[in-house]
Amino acid sequence: MARQQTTPMNRFMNVNGWAFVSVSLVLIALFSIYPVIKSLWLSTQVGMGVVTHFGGFSNIVRLANDPLFLTALKNTFIFLIVQVPIMIMLALVLANALNNPNLKFRGILRTAIFLPCVTSLVAYSVLFKSMFSYNGLINSFLLAIHVISDPIPWLTDPFWAKVTIIIAITWRWTGYNMIFYLAALQNIDRSIYEAADLEGASARHKFFKITIPMLKPVILFTTITSTIGTLQLFDEVMNITVGGPANATITLSMYIYNLSFKFVPNFGYAATVSYVIVLIVALLSVLQFKVVGREK
Amino acid sequence: MRIPTKLIAKLVLCFMPAIAWAAGKEITVWAWDPNFNIAIMKEAAERYKADHPDVKFKIVDFAKADVEQKLLTNLASGVTKALPDIVLIEDYNAQKYLQSFPGSFADLTKEIDYKNFAPYKVSLMTVNKKVYGIPFDTGVTGLFYRRDILEKAGYSEDDLKDLTWDRFIEIGKAVKEKTGTYMMSLDPNDSGILRIMMHSANSWFFDDKGHPALDSNPVLAESMSTVQKLFASGIVRPSNSWADWVSTFNQGEVATVTTGVWIIGSVKSVADQSGKWGVAPIPKLNIAGATHASNLGGSSWYVMNSSKAKKEAIDFLKTVYAGDTDFYQDILVQHGAVGTYLPSQTGPAYSTKDPFFGGQAEFLSFSEWLKNVPALNFGLYTYEVGDALVAQVPGLLQGGSVEQALKNAQRQAASLVQ
């Protein structure tokens, strides 16, 4: 009997194959494709609550003239541009240090740095809120060691509130990214470093000329996941600052929440804003692939 | 003989729902604040159960934001199964829910005699001449103050009568200087103090059509500049959340609290501050038409149209909240709840002298001030506007002009209200 299964047409017509994937296809259609299409339709609706009508592009027009949306967009990008590079660099340095075979207590240190990312987002946010409050732990400590003479208004000043959020998410996610680098570092051939040692390369040289180029695909991966994560930033701002003071820490996700649950419910406009996040994530990911790909 | 235990068990299980049904319906209630709304609802349920032993109650306690969010998501999804029978809604939000989800709340126009309730509460729950809900508590405001701290700074009860905000700041500066205690705490992210000031001068944030009118309102300009002065004077301890704000007066960090009467429960929760507190009318804005009476918050009960126990729920609210004056006396003394059911506004409970407030009959004062609270229509967008206004507070703290702040706020509010 002739074996024909491998031609594309036959594979397409194979009933068994379809039967196997049918379950997941149905689930994807139901829980992923349908909501995407439905939310696209939703984003054309205007009105409040369930009293809505078709508004065409009016939500997009509204977007362009919405100062609060622009504030949220700006804040999100400030978090992205300041926080992601700091965290990626910190994670790289930590991973490199902890990869040193001569370091004592490596296991404990690795666990300690990774541990924050198994804590619940809400739990650690509540903890940070209490630590950074006006008479909280951080201010008491800084006052006690005479670094500051007046308490820092961590949560009530627009600038310091941003700083608090950045400190919080850096604490939470650095260990998570570090683990990726640690794993990737194991795959770099030790002999490359030995050769570099023989040539008399300094530690700094080895880090920038060997480690970073070898980790490039992983750095790309963590940058993209961190970018997406930061664009969806919600739990921390919701729990630590509630977007304030004066909308200084409101993010796009938080704005979507406010449009749906705090203000007169406008699910259509909220859906429009959420599509903005989708667009930005897609654009930034393509950009990052291009930047890294070109250098190859 | 073999006893078919399994069969019996199955039969019993089959008839369980029927038995439960025959035993009476269950009324589910959603509300917030275990020391106030929940405790009061439990009390009301006990009273009703005395005459209606077959009705069961399930009173669920959520945070206020959670009640609002759960209600909203359920209403938006169109699935009514998970909704409660009775829900508590804050007055500022009432029109928003009633107009965004028409048909979701039971029309009680013909069930309740609304003449017995404070008119301002009834107007807040009226849409197209139909009235929904049972008015509950008022947020009539007062200036709670620490007698001991003010005395140390050389001020007595009489100094707090007929205060203006400017005089309040003067006293605050003296208190801060002589005792080191802040005069008050404010959350710069919370528009509550602005709402108190606006309401006290019979003004709100909207024009006749319900659109925000922020940059042309002299009362709002005066309120904003008062907030600016308060923060600039150094008498305000900034707070970052409700819990933090409550702790400032529970721990004696501030000398006064200006807010709604419902805070009494929290003030009284620190037993060793007994006798140290007093209540005075709130300071007045420096503008024509300003009064010492205002309102902050307050909420009402609503029956869901989808409720399976709708008849029972309405009867329950009608019997207790719109008929039982004893109940109102009781919750006033127990929980400091000033109801808006007019027949209950007199009675022995109002003249009780409270040792916690140094022997002052504080509720008598509150019920006096309640009569002067201007009747206002909050409209739909109080929270949108509040958000737009507090967004301008940091700019004001850095010395920005009120005029510019209100222009910015108007821009933001206008884009949110569409």
Side-chain angles (χ1 to χ4, degrees):
Chain A
M1 210 166 86
R3 293 168 65 101
Q4 293 180 328
Q5 282 92 328
T6 45
T7 69
M9 195 55 201
N10 272 6
R11 208 184 315 161
F12 186 77
M13 299 298 284
N14 189 329
V15 177
N16 281 339
W18 280 109
F20 276 115
V21 294
S22 64
V23 178
S24 45
L25 275 184
V26 167
L27 289 177
I28 289 172
L30 205 62
F31 292 110
S32 188
I33 298 171
Y34 169 70
V36 167
I37 294 169
K38 177 85 190 196
S39 65
L40 197 61
W41 169 247
L42 193 63
S43 72
T44 63
Q45 301 287 307
V46 291
M48 53 186 183
V50 291
V51 193
T52 56
H53 59 270
F54 183 73
F57 291 110
S58 59
N59 277 331
I60 296 169
V61 175
R62 178 178 170 182
L63 208 56
N65 300 312
D66 183 348
L68 199 51
F69 165 72
L70 295 175
T71 310
L73 193 66
K74 198 182 82 196
N75 289 340
T76 311
F77 270 93
I78 289 175
F79 287 136
L80 186 71
I81 291 164
V82 178
Q83 195 266 336
V84 173
I86 291 178
M87 178 177 67
I88 298 287
M89 271 321 284
L90 204 62
L92 262 173
V93 170
L94 284 171
N96 204 47
L98 291 180
N99 198 41
N100 182 353
N102 299 326
L103 190 73
K104 277 184 185 164
F105 309 117
R106 273 203 302 170
I108 293 174
L109 285 172
R110 279 181 190 179
T111 317
I113 294 172
F114 181 70
L115 217 51
C117 91
V118 298
T119 57
S120 133
L121 286 170
V122 174
Y124 102 89
S125 297
V126 171
L127 207 66
F128 263 70
K129 181 169 188 163
S130 106
M131 276 165 46
F132 281 86
S133 70
Y134 199 67
N135 47 6
L137 194 72
I138 302 285
N139 272 338
S140 310
F141 175 72
L142 291 178
L143 283 170
I145 60 168
H146 299 290
V147 172
I148 50 173
S149 55
D150 284 314
I152 296 176
W154 289 106
L155 302 175
T156 45
D157 178 86
F159 170 76
W160 288 109
K162 279 200 183 79
V163 172
T164 309
I165 296 289
I166 288 173
I167 292 175
I169 44 183
T170 307
W171 179 83
R172 173 69 165 73
W173 293 104
T174 302
Y176 177 76
N177 290 306
M178 183 194 76
I179 289 296
F180 286 103
Y181 300 143
L182 268 176
L185 282 171
Q186 315 294 319
N187 290 332
I188 300 179
D189 199 336
R190 289 251 136 239
S191 58
I192 302 178
Y193 288 105
E194 279 164 24
D197 282 336
L198 286 177
E199 298 283 343
S202 70
R204 232 186 89 221
H205 256 95
K206 280 189 285 179
F207 181 68
F208 284 109
K209 301 282 177 191
I210 299 173
T211 312
I212 290 192
M214 298 291 275
L215 289 183
K216 214 158 134 193
V218 185
I219 294 177
L220 174 67
F221 170 75
T222 52
T223 314
I224 291 177
T225 51
S226 305
T227 304
I228 295 172
T230 313
L231 284 170
Q232 296 175 341
L233 188 64
F234 177 74
D235 302 60
E236 287 86 351
V237 281
M238 180 74 192
N239 287 298
I240 299 178
T241 59
V242 207
N247 300 319
T249 55
I250 193 169
T251 60
L252 288 173
S253 307
M254 178 96 205
Y255 187 44
I256 292 170
Y257 175 90
N258 284 350
L259 285 172
S260 312
F261 301 119
K262 184 177 173 192
F263 301 148
V264 173
N266 191 332
F267 301 111
Y269 189 49
T272 311
V273 178
S274 69
Y275 266 94
V276 173
I277 297 189
V278 173
L279 265 177
I280 297 173
V281 168
L283 275 175
L284 287 180
S285 303
V286 168
L287 195 75
Q288 284 164 350
F289 268 113
K290 280 266 178 328
V291 168
V292 178
R294 197 178 51 204
E295 287 174 8
K296 255 183 186 165
Chain B
M1 192 186 125
R2 268 184 68 206
I3 303 167
T5 39
K6 272 192 181 166
L7 187 68
I8 292 175
K10 271 183 191 159
L11 279 173
V12 170
L13 276 177
C14 282
F15 284 106
M16 279 277 262
I19 293 166
W21 184 80
K25 290 201 171 175
E26 188 178 66
I27 300 175
T28 307
V29 185
W30 285 359
W32 62 87
D33 197 343
N35 291 323
F36 193 80
N37 300 315
I38 295 286
I40 290 166
M41 201 44 162
K42 280 186 179 152
E43 165 99 33
E46 285 309 315
R47 277 175 181 265
Y48 188 70
K49 272 198 280 190
D51 293 334
H52 304 79
D54 52 335
V55 177
K56 285 198 183 106
F57 284 89
K58 191 176 157 199
I59 297 161
V60 195
D61 173 22
F62 297 112
K64 176 165 165 281
D66 294 346
V67 175
E68 288 166 357
Q69 194 194 334
K70 274 179 93 75
L71 183 65
L72 247 159
T73 34
N74 271 299
L75 288 174
S77 73
V79 182
T80 54
K81 233 175 110 184
L83 283 169
D85 303 301
I86 297 173
V87 65
L88 186 67
I89 294 177
E90 192 187 23
D91 291 342
Y92 298 125
N93 277 325
Q95 289 288 324
K96 171 165 105 184
Y97 290 115
L98 292 174
Q99 293 192 31
S100 298
F101 301 101
S104 298
F105 299 93
D107 173 9
L108 304 180
T109 320
K110 290 184 185 122
E111 303 278 350
I112 310 286
D113 185 5
Y114 283 104
K115 282 193 203 85
N116 282 335
F117 288 96
Y120 95 95
K121 288 286 274 195
V122 180
S123 75
L124 293 174
M125 51 175 68
T126 307
V127 177
N128 296 333
K129 293 189 178 156
K130 284 184 178 163
V131 195
Y132 305 80
I134 308 262
F136 176 41
D137 71 318
T138 159
V140 56
T141 51
L143 171 68
F144 296 80
Y145 62 93
R146 284 283 296 269
R147 291 169 190 275
D148 53 334
I149 295 173
L150 287 179
E151 256 163 43
K152 230 189 268 172
Y155 295 100
S156 71
E157 210 169 308
D158 292 336
D159 293 309
L160 298 179
K161 279 179 187 148
D162 205 29
L163 270 186
T164 59
W165 281 104
D166 290 334
R167 177 76 184 133
F168 176 84
I169 291 171
E170 258 174 58
I171 295 177
K173 280 182 180 162
V175 167
K176 182 84 186 24
E177 202 175 292
K178 287 178 188 157
T179 68
T181 313
Y182 288 104
M183 188 64 166
M184 72 190 310
S185 54
L186 284 177
D187 183 346
N189 233 358
D190 183 353
S191 57
I193 191 74
L194 277 171
R195 276 179 265 142
I196 292 177
M197 290 174 182
M198 293 293 285
H199 201 154
S200 76
N202 195 12
S203 177
W204 209 240
F205 308 108
F206 309 99
D207 62 15
D208 302 337
K209 286 175 190 154
H211 296 302
L214 306 180
D215 47 0
S216 55
N217 186 337
V219 178
L220 181 56
E222 178 63 21
S223 306
M224 284 293 263
S225 98
T226 306
V227 169
Q228 186 181 28
K229 277 188 242 165
L230 279 172
F231 275 105
S233 63
I235 64 168
V236 174
R237 143 76 154 92
S239 71
N240 59 44
S241 67
W242 178 264
D244 184 45
W245 179 74
V246 170
S247 81
T248 58
F249 55 84
N250 277 349
Q251 296 178 1
E253 279 185 72
V254 293
T256 71
V257 183
T258 298
T259 192
V261 60
W262 32 256
I263 202 68
I264 280 189
S266 301
V267 171
K268 279 184 160 184
S269 67
V270 185
D272 62 356
Q273 289 178 359
S274 179
K276 293 180 178 168
W277 283 92
V279 186
I282 62 162
K284 196 165 93 170
L285 283 175
N286 194 8
I287 197 165
T291 68
H292 290 291
S294 185
N295 178 76
L296 180 68
S299 43
S300 300
W301 302 103
Y302 292 79
V303 177
M304 304 305 303
N305 239 349
S306 59
S307 162
K308 286 203 181 84
K310 190 169 147 187
K311 230 180 81 196
E312 288 80 359
I314 293 172
D315 186 62
F316 157 62
L317 289 175
K318 200 170 154 180
T319 312
V320 181
Y321 285 90
D324 191 342
T325 46
D326 267 5
F327 164 72
Y328 278 102
Q329 298 280 315
D330 206 49
I331 60 172
L332 180 74
V333 179
Q334 299 286 333
H335 309 287
V338 177
T340 48
Y341 184 58
L342 299 175
S344 73
Q345 294 285 319
T346 48
Y350 275 89
S351 43
T352 309
K353 286 191 172 145
D354 190 342
F356 195 93
F357 286 90
Q360 195 179 356
E362 76 271 20
F363 291 121
L364 205 60
S365 313
F366 277 115
S367 69
E368 279 304 309
W369 302 331
L370 179 60
K371 288 177 196 150
N372 303 327
V373 174
L376 270 180
N377 181 3
F378 295 138
L380 280 162
Y381 300 109
T382 297
Y383 278 106
E384 277 85 342
V385 167
D387 224 55
L389 288 171
V390 293
Q392 299 304 323
V393 170
L396 288 179
L397 301 194
Q398 285 159 7
S401 83
V402 170
E403 201 183 328
Q404 187 57 44
L406 289 179
K407 267 189 193 146
N408 296 345
Q410 173 69 21
R411 240 186 97 227
Q412 181 181 327
S415 84
L416 275 175
V417 174
Q418 287 192 0

